[in-house]
Amino acid sequence: MSVANSQPRRTRSGSRRDEAARLAVLHAADDLLAEHGFGALTVEAIARRAGVAKQTIYRWWPSKVEILLDTLIEDSGKRLPIPTDKPTAEGIRGYMRAFARFVTRDPAGKVLLALIAEAQHDPATAKLLHERHLGPRREQERDMLARAIDAGAISPGLGADAIDALVGAIVYRALTGSSVPYRLVDALCDDLLGARTG
Amino acid sequence: MSVANSQPRRTRSGSRRDEAARLAVLHAADDLLAEHGFGALTVEAIARRAGVAKQTIYRWWPSKVEILLDTLIEDSGKRLPIPTDKPTAEGIRGYMRAFARFVTRDPAGKVLLALIAEAQHDPATAKLLHERHLGPRREQERDMLARAIDAGAISPGLGADAIDALVGAIVYRALTGSSVPYRLVDALCDDLLGARTG
Amino acid sequence: MSVANSQPRRTRSGSRRDEAARLAVLHAADDLLAEHGFGALTVEAIARRAGVAKQTIYRWWPSKVEILLDTLIEDSGKRLPIPTDKPTAEGIRGYMRAFARFVTRDPAGKVLLALIAEAQHDPATAKLLHERHLGPRREQERDMLARAIDAGAISPGLGADAIDALVGAIVYRALTGSSVPYRLVDALCDDLLGARTG
Amino acid sequence: MSVANSQPRRTRSGSRRDEAARLAVLHAADDLLAEHGFGALTVEAIARRAGVAKQTIYRWWPSKVEILLDTLIEDSGKRLPIPTDKPTAEGIRGYMRAFARFVTRDPAGKVLLALIAEAQHDPATAKLLHERHLGPRREQERDMLARAIDAGAISPGLGADAIDALVGAIVYRALTGSSVPYRLVDALCDDLLGARTG
DNA sequence: AGATAATCGAGACGGTACGTCGGGTCTTTAA
DNA sequence: TTAAAGACCCGACGTACCGTCTCGATTATCT
């Protein structure tokens, strides 16, 4: 071990991935979804809009769903962080409010809705969506809840499943084109979390 | 002559609609959705499977979505009636249980999920789904709730919106491929309806 | 064929083949070959030029080669008939002159050259070209020669193979972009047919 | 794999052309043509087979046609020399026999046929083929004939054009997949050269 | 009893997008 | 400078469905 050894170097010659092309594709997909809906989201249209060859898309993404997934993960990580510090009822309520806003107002929220939808039509999408987004996020959300329960800040009748009920109620409103006012989110939290606070 | 009748009646000679063809199409659509998923649900495949000409489908249904909508309305009317008699907490809980089963087990429930999904991809589908299914049904469900509230059987913090929260929580579980056990439905009802009964 | 058979004829419902589309494709192929060469002769370009859907081409022709073959057979049948009446040396010389003109001047002659070329690149083309054009035509040409020999009008040293030598010499000149003046054709006939006449 | 790789590794002084790569490309092209036909002869396939980068091919050859041309010129120079010594009828007949064998049996003969074919599809190929192969060779062949005529060994009715007729007749047989037996070559020579012998 | 008219299965048609292949150019890393 | 590797834009490939449109045959109703 150690020593000045040269490992069977993976030489990796050749051009590296073009970051500009990668971003152009992600943005084009996002924009097309926002502007013309999922129906207009064809690989051909994305390529056209991004000024990129179709082959470049197929080289890096197995399907257009994975493009959306990439934007979703990047955006939701940035714009909808899961609170990790104070396990209070207010903290959770704040997160749910942010989630409600995300899913109804943020373009990335539309991406989430589109992916949930597409998952109904295609099992492969369902698998991907769970593995790369829904699963990990649910994990963290349940953690958040569990810590709040431990701290005695809340005592939901559903236990950690309360998070699904909250998220589900909000997502369903979004899916059916209804608004999700704070009043409604707060009432949901009150009912489902058994919170001490008002 | 004259008189009696006033309308410039278009008498309509010729063959009337072929009921066998109509049913064949509905069943083919249902079967294809159940067996191979929404992705395989093309007009061409339906026609092939139903042993029917494409034109016959286009003559009677503006789109494949309306075929699904027809089967959904027919099936949900039969297999998931909204209780109209006794506005009790048990009645509502029973309905929600039935709904949970419908949406996770009944083929027609899959149709509902598929339509909710397709509505995200296509505004026209969204409009149709609301006008012909979601709207009317929500109306009746809210009635059911309102009567129960009036009768003092329940007192939900969300008011009539509680129905959306219940339905949403259940639908979301179904959309994400989770099961919806009775235990969960009951806990939801307890939390969201403020029911007197245990 | 023959035999007055009366089978319950294949009813053949549905629209029949669109003759206008068929002609549009044949002409588009011809024109593209003449104007921009074989390299520009893509199925997509033919479809574009003919104002026809690609699928319509693939429905009726297994490959673009068969399109060319169709035009070649039709045109060569019309514009380069094989003399069937008088088996004289002059008759044969006249045919070879016409052939030389066909292969150097007539657009359909270019089609023949292109097909001979493509046959070098693709065995399937070679097979088709022989079966549908070269074979039958060679057959008739050899007949023509045989009858002239029988009639004592010519006495070629090569026998019926003389036709290949004549055709080959002319085709090769065309393939290499050389002209084929009558003088040359006549000299070839003189040498290869052993004709009595000057 | 053909490439002889016994030579000392990489002549790293300055950066001259890599002879091994050059040969690898030529052999790969030859082999692919022989094994899978012109259709499989893509630059990408040649590069793959030769273990060479595409860019290396494009650096040294403007097109795949020039690769073939290089092999053809090299091989035909070696294996099908034009007799320069004795301008006799036998000499010419011998050459034509060798030519017939070359064009029907020798892999390099297939290259010639492929290039003649490709020349029909692409004017640039036609130009190259004439300038670098057909032209010079025809020049020498005509010389050969002229000297034989001067020597009184032959007296063709076509004059020096007789060479085109001979070559054309043979090439056409090869192009159409027919065999070219010596008997046929000899008869052609007899008829077209007006030879004293035979 | 026709004549009329709407239905049906069949399938051709002009299109759009699919996912793949090869073309020829350019960039990166190594020798 | 040359080479291997390979990403890139481009355009054609052959296929699947789309929604529209005839076609010929089959009912059912209305003179």
Side-chain angles (χ1 to χ4, degrees):
Chain A
M1 31 94 57
S2 64
V3 195
N5 191 319
S6 51
Q7 301 145 21
R9 269 279 113 230
R10 283 303 251 119
T11 23
R12 277 293 298 151
S13 89
S15 289
R16 289 324 177 279
R17 179 170 189 178
D18 183 343
E19 179 66 7
R22 190 187 134 259
L23 290 176
V25 168
L26 293 181
H27 291 153
D30 246 3
D31 292 353
L32 282 171
L33 183 65
E35 289 171 26
H36 306 290
F38 191 89
L41 196 73
T42 67
V43 172
E44 216 132 77
I46 296 172
R48 216 145 45 212
R49 173 122 181 185
V52 141
K54 262 200 303 180
Q55 185 55 48
T56 297
I57 296 183
Y58 284 111
R59 188 170 7 249
W60 300 108
W61 291 276
S63 73
K64 67 185 176 186
V65 160
E66 303 235 21
I67 301 175
L68 290 181
L69 212 35
D70 277 6
T71 76
L72 174 61
I73 289 168
E74 205 158 303
D75 290 350
S76 69
K78 276 184 207 151
R79 296 212 283 275
L80 189 65
I82 296 170
T84 51
D85 40 0
K86 9 172 180 177
T88 65
E90 283 82 13
I92 294 172
R93 185 159 62 195
Y95 173 71
M96 294 318 301
R97 284 180 168 197
F99 181 76
R101 157 171 296 250
F102 177 78
V103 102
T104 51
R105 302 244 194 286
D106 196 306
K110 303 291 180 196
V111 173
L112 174 58
L113 298 185
L115 285 173
I116 291 174
E118 190 59 15
Q120 308 308 308
H121 293 166
D122 171 28
T125 297
K127 191 159 180 294
L128 280 169
L129 179 58
H130 277 88
E131 285 175 0
R132 298 193 51 204
H133 180 77
L134 292 183
R137 183 157 278 264
R138 175 142 60 180
E139 199 81 10
Q140 293 179 275
E141 290 166 339
R142 291 172 89 103
D143 262 20
M144 175 180 70
L145 233 66
R147 284 183 296 111
I149 294 172
D150 285 351
I154 57 171
S155 59
L158 286 155
D161 280 341
I163 197 67
D164 264 15
L166 284 166
V167 166
I170 292 169
V171 164
Y172 182 71
R173 295 279 296 188
L175 285 171
T176 53
S178 305
S179 65
V180 190
Y182 287 164
R183 183 190 55 69
L184 204 146
V185 176
D186 291 352
L188 275 171
C189 287
D190 287 349
D191 282 2
L192 290 169
L193 298 180
R196 297 282 138 78
T197 58
Chain B
M1 35 90 61
S2 66
V3 203
N5 195 321
S6 49
Q7 298 138 16
R9 267 281 114 227
R10 284 300 254 114
T11 25
R12 284 266 312 145
S13 81
S15 290
R16 289 323 182 279
R17 179 168 190 179
D18 183 342
E19 180 66 7
R22 189 186 134 258
L23 290 176
V25 168
L26 293 181
H27 291 153
D30 247 3
D31 293 353
L32 282 171
L33 183 65
E35 288 171 28
H36 306 291
F38 192 89
L41 196 74
T42 67
V43 171
E44 218 133 75
I46 297 172
R48 217 144 42 212
R49 173 122 181 187
V52 139
K54 267 202 299 180
Q55 185 56 41
T56 298
I57 296 182
Y58 283 111
R59 200 186 338 265
W60 301 109
W61 291 275
S63 72
K64 69 183 175 189
V65 160
E66 304 235 22
I67 302 175
L68 290 182
L69 213 36
D70 276 6
T71 76
L72 174 62
I73 290 167
E74 204 158 307
D75 291 349
S76 69
K78 276 184 209 151
R79 298 212 281 276
L80 188 66
I82 296 170
T84 50
D85 41 359
K86 12 176 177 174
T88 65
E90 283 82 13
I92 294 172
R93 185 160 61 197
Y95 173 71
M96 295 318 302
R97 283 182 168 195
F99 181 76
R101 149 163 304 200
F102 177 78
V103 102
T104 51
R105 301 244 194 285
D106 195 306
K110 303 292 180 195
V111 174
L112 173 58
L113 298 185
L115 285 173
I116 290 174
E118 190 59 15
Q120 308 308 307
H121 293 166
D122 172 27
T125 297
K127 191 160 180 294
L128 281 169
L129 180 58
H130 278 88
E131 286 175 1
R132 298 192 51 201
H133 180 77
L134 292 183
R137 182 157 278 265
R138 174 142 61 179
E139 198 82 8
Q140 293 178 274
E141 291 166 339
R142 291 172 89 103
D143 263 19
M144 172 180 72
L145 232 67
R147 284 184 296 110
I149 294 172
D150 284 351
I154 57 172
S155 59
L158 286 157
D161 280 340
I163 196 68
D164 264 15
L166 283 167
V167 167
I170 291 169
V171 165
Y172 182 72
R173 294 280 295 188
L175 285 171
T176 53
S178 306
S179 65
V180 190
Y182 286 164
R183 182 191 55 69
L184 204 147
V185 176
D186 292 351
L188 274 172
C189 288
D190 288 348
D191 283 0
L192 290 168
L193 297 179
R196 295 285 138 78
T197 59
Chain C
M1 35 169 41
S2 68
V3 190
N5 193 319
S6 57
Q7 295 148 21
R9 270 273 125 249
R10 276 306 231 139
T11 23
R12 277 292 297 148
S13 92
S15 288
R16 287 331 175 277
R17 180 169 188 177
D18 183 342
E19 179 66 7
R22 190 187 134 259
L23 290 176
V25 168
L26 293 181
H27 291 153
D30 246 2
D31 293 353
L32 282 171
L33 184 66
E35 289 171 27
H36 306 290
F38 192 88
L41 196 72
T42 66
V43 173
E44 215 131 79
I46 297 172
R48 216 147 41 214
R49 173 122 180 185
V52 140
K54 260 201 301 179
Q55 185 55 48
T56 296
I57 296 183
Y58 284 111
R59 188 167 11 245
W60 300 108
W61 292 277
S63 73
K64 66 185 177 188
V65 160
E66 303 236 22
I67 301 175
L68 290 182
L69 212 35
D70 276 6
T71 76
L72 173 60
I73 290 168
E74 204 157 304
D75 291 350
S76 68
K78 277 183 209 151
R79 297 212 282 276
L80 188 65
I82 296 170
T84 51
D85 41 359
K86 11 174 179 175
T88 65
E90 285 81 12
I92 294 172
R93 185 160 61 196
Y95 173 71
M96 294 318 299
R97 284 180 169 199
F99 181 75
R101 149 164 305 196
F102 177 77
V103 101
T104 51
R105 301 241 194 289
D106 195 305
K110 304 291 179 195
V111 173
L112 173 59
L113 298 184
L115 285 172
I116 290 175
E118 190 59 15
Q120 308 309 308
H121 294 166
D122 171 28
T125 296
K127 191 159 181 294
L128 280 169
L129 179 58
H130 277 88
E131 286 175 359
R132 300 192 49 203
H133 180 77
L134 292 183
R137 182 158 277 265
R138 175 143 57 180
E139 198 80 9
Q140 294 179 274
E141 291 165 340
R142 291 173 89 103
D143 262 20
M144 173 181 71
L145 232 66
R147 283 183 296 113
I149 295 171
D150 284 352
I154 57 173
S155 60
L158 287 155
D161 280 340
I163 198 66
D164 264 13
L166 284 166
V167 165
I170 292 169
V171 163
Y172 182 71
R173 294 280 296 187
L175 284 170
T176 53
S178 305
S179 63
V180 190
Y182 286 164
R183 183 191 55 69
L184 204 145
V185 176
D186 291 351
L188 275 171
C189 287
D190 287 348
D191 283 1
L192 291 169
L193 297 180
R196 298 281 139 81
T197 60
Chain D
M1 246 306 159
S2 15
V3 192
N5 59 351
S6 52
Q7 291 155 18
R9 261 292 133 258
R10 284 298 186 72
T11 55
R12 269 304 117 240
S13 69
S15 37
R16 277 183 304 280
R17 179 168 188 178
D18 183 341
E19 180 66 7
R22 188 185 138 261
L23 290 176
V25 168
L26 293 181
H27 292 154
D30 247 2
D31 293 352
L32 282 171
L33 183 65
E35 288 171 27
H36 306 291
F38 191 88
L41 196 73
T42 68
V43 172
E44 217 132 76
I46 297 172
R48 216 146 44 213
R49 172 122 180 186
V52 139
K54 265 203 300 180
Q55 185 56 39
T56 298
I57 296 182
Y58 283 111
R59 199 181 344 261
W60 300 109
W61 292 276
S63 73
K64 69 184 176 190
V65 161
E66 304 237 22
I67 302 175
L68 290 183
L69 212 35
D70 277 6
T71 76
L72 173 61
I73 290 167
E74 204 157 307
D75 291 350
S76 68
K78 275 184 210 152
R79 297 211 281 275
L80 188 66
I82 296 171
T84 52
D85 42 0
K86 12 176 177 174
T88 65
E90 284 81 12
I92 293 173
R93 185 160 61 196
Y95 173 70
M96 294 319 300
R97 283 182 169 196
F99 181 76
R101 157 171 297 252
F102 176 76
V103 101
T104 50
R105 301 247 195 284
D106 196 303
K110 303 291 179 196
V111 173
L112 173 58
L113 299 185
L115 284 172
I116 290 175
E118 190 59 15
Q120 307 309 308
H121 293 166
D122 170 29
T125 296
K127 193 161 180 293
L128 280 168
L129 179 59
H130 277 87
E131 286 175 0
R132 300 192 50 202
H133 180 78
L134 292 184
R137 182 158 279 264
R138 174 143 59 177
E139 199 81 9
Q140 294 178 274
E141 291 165 339
R142 292 172 88 101
D143 263 20
M144 172 181 72
L145 231 67
R147 284 185 296 112
I149 294 172
D150 285 352
I154 58 173
S155 60
L158 285 157
D161 280 339
I163 197 67
D164 265 13
L166 283 166
V167 166
I170 292 169
V171 164
Y172 183 72
R173 294 279 297 187
L175 286 171
T176 54
S178 304
S179 64
V180 190
Y182 287 164
R183 182 192 55 70
L184 204 145
V185 176
D186 292 351
L188 274 172
C189 289
D190 287 349
D191 282 0
L192 290 169
L193 298 179
R196 299 282 138 80
T197 58

